[in-house]
Amino acid sequence: MRDIKLVEVRSEIAAGTRGASLGIDALKIASLDKKSNFFTQFDPINVPDANNYLWKGNKFPNAKYIDGVYQVLKNVYSTVESLRMEKKFPIILAGDHSTAAGTIMGIKAAEPKKRLGVIWIDAHADLHTPYTTPSGNMHGMPLAMVCQLDNLECKVNEPTEDTITYWEKIKTIGGDFPKILPSDIVFISVRDTEEPENFLIDKYGIKNFKTSEVRTKGITQIAKETLEILKDCDQVYISFDVDSLDSSISMGTGTPVPDGLTVEEAITLNAELIKDKRVCCWEIVEVNPTLDSENTMAEAAFEVLEITTNSLVANF
């Protein structure tokens, strides 16, 4: 059986709305409501956040709170690197999605010679940079960080010198090289992108299985094709953003988008993908109970978490 370690990252500094730091506790409440013993099975590690930076005010319009984001990413990176060095399987419960960059940096640092593929189940591509972002929210940038992309071809912003200094430091956490190849990313249900992101998706030929394709082909076939695209990767990391779910379900997240997955589709998809022996880390992010009623989002997300973990355990 995989030696599973729960990693809790209560960071919300890179999100546009407040409250994602409460998502982990909302998941725990959901588990109590379902009378599940899930959270008694694993000893969690708490990664220090930098949410206190929110009180200081933002000084970086094109990369909000980048000074704090840098601190959090370093914390996540070192935690995940240590766990992977010990051959642990991290299941990561996180607030905003920027911390996924630290996760990828940590996986890569533990085994730098292994090629890492990424399955990104999300409504968004998260390929923005300080040069292209329309919002400045850094939860839209983690994949650009780990691919070391600036996307200057699509530049629309003039970030300050301090912003650029922090951005360069972030891109080199865990070493000054791309942690993944853009072509080793597979998107599932991504449907809310901006032109600079579309440019990169086209440039690198990144596959995006739209929700309609998931329904036409079926989950089993999508999982098979996803893993086939990543056949040359030695390791695979799965990141599940709850806004990949349809907006009729996912009100309890910062950026809900229509035409997403159903809860059943998300459960089946994650449970199927995690059976692949190369999967070394799984993550769930962006539950925000302050935007919800009756903890609906967290209850759906907890179902995905529990069944995916059960699938992992059953297949090892």
Side-chain angles (χ1 to χ4, degrees):
M1 179 179 146
R2 288 293 186 98
D3 192 354
I4 294 168
K5 199 75 181 173
L6 272 192
V7 179
E8 300 180 357
V9 190
R10 287 176 172 76
S11 177
E12 63 170 74
I13 194 169
T17 51
R18 303 282 61 87
S21 62
L22 305 172
I24 294 162
D25 294 313
L27 287 169
K28 292 182 177 181
I29 290 164
S31 78
L32 290 172
D33 288 346
K34 290 179 183 288
K35 296 182 170 52
S36 167
N37 69 345
F38 180 87
F39 286 100
T40 66
Q41 296 176 50
F42 312 103
D43 292 326
I45 294 176
N46 281 290
V47 178
D49 61 61
N51 294 334
N52 60 309
Y53 278 71
L54 293 166
W55 301 104
K56 300 177 183 180
N58 171 51
K59 306 180 189 73
F60 308 94
N62 300 127
K64 292 174 183 172
Y65 303 103
I66 193 171
D67 46 354
V69 170
Y70 173 61
Q71 295 298 326
V72 177
L73 294 185
K74 283 203 302 181
N75 295 344
V76 174
Y77 149 74
S78 59
T79 301
V80 172
E81 181 190 23
S82 298
L83 290 174
R84 291 301 299 148
M85 295 282 278
E86 297 165 11
K87 304 300 180 195
K88 309 275 192 206
F89 188 105
I91 288 183
I92 298 174
L93 317 179
D96 78 70
H97 212 170
S98 72
T99 62
T103 302
I104 292 169
M105 291 158 178
I107 295 169
K108 187 67 176 177
E111 296 184 274
K113 291 184 178 172
K114 288 194 172 180
R115 183 168 165 184
L116 178 61
V118 172
I119 302 172
W120 201 257
I121 307 168
D122 197 325
H124 306 91
D126 295 341
L127 280 167
H128 273 299
T129 77
Y131 302 99
T132 66
T133 174
S135 68
N137 297 325
M138 295 196 73
H139 66 168
M141 304 185 192
L143 288 176
M145 295 172 187
V146 293
C147 293
Q148 288 199 330
L149 297 172
D150 294 330
N151 197 10
L152 296 178
E153 297 99 322
C154 300
K155 181 178 176 180
V156 291
N157 302 323
E158 293 289 346
T160 64
E161 268 186 53
D162 285 350
T163 303
I164 295 168
T165 299
Y166 272 113
W167 179 247
E168 293 302 320
K169 285 166 72 173
I170 282 173
K171 288 190 298 176
T172 57
I173 294 171
D176 189 3
F177 55 89
K179 312 311 181 288
I180 59 169
L181 302 171
S183 56
D184 287 339
I185 300 167
V186 178
F187 290 134
I188 300 179
S189 206
V190 167
R191 56 199 185 276
D192 186 11
T193 56
E194 282 84 33
E195 279 311 307
E197 294 177 303
N198 294 335
F199 172 81
L200 293 174
I201 290 167
D202 291 342
K203 179 178 179 178
Y204 294 105
I206 301 172
K207 176 60 182 173
N208 178 24
F209 290 103
K210 298 272 178 75
T211 308
S212 57
E213 196 172 352
V214 173
R215 298 208 173 119
T216 305
K217 291 184 172 178
I219 299 288
T220 306
Q221 183 62 24
I222 293 295
K224 184 179 174 184
E225 290 185 27
T226 297
L227 295 164
E228 177 62 23
I229 291 166
L230 303 178
K231 68 180 184 297
D232 295 327
C233 295
D234 307 299
Q235 300 188 108
V236 174
Y237 152 76
I238 302 169
S239 191
F240 173 67
D241 187 324
V242 297
D243 71 20
S244 62
L245 299 171
D246 188 73
S247 53
S248 62
I249 311 154
S250 64
M251 294 313 293
T253 190
T255 46
V257 183
D259 193 30
L261 302 170
T262 66
V263 177
E264 292 73 23
E265 287 166 341
I267 288 170
T268 310
L269 178 63
N270 282 284
E272 187 64 29
L273 288 168
I274 208 165
K275 292 176 184 175
D276 191 286
K277 301 289 190 281
R278 295 170 300 157
V279 176
C280 62
C281 179
W282 185 86
E283 173 180 67
I284 187 167
V285 301
E286 295 276 3
V287 174
N288 186 339
T290 67
L291 303 172
D292 209 357
S293 61
E294 299 180 357
N295 214 26
T296 306
M297 179 79 264
E299 292 197 352
F302 176 71
E303 250 190 290
V304 179
L305 168 63
E306 185 169 45
I307 294 171
T308 302
T309 305
N310 290 345
S311 178
L312 174 67
V313 171
N315 283 280
F316 286 90

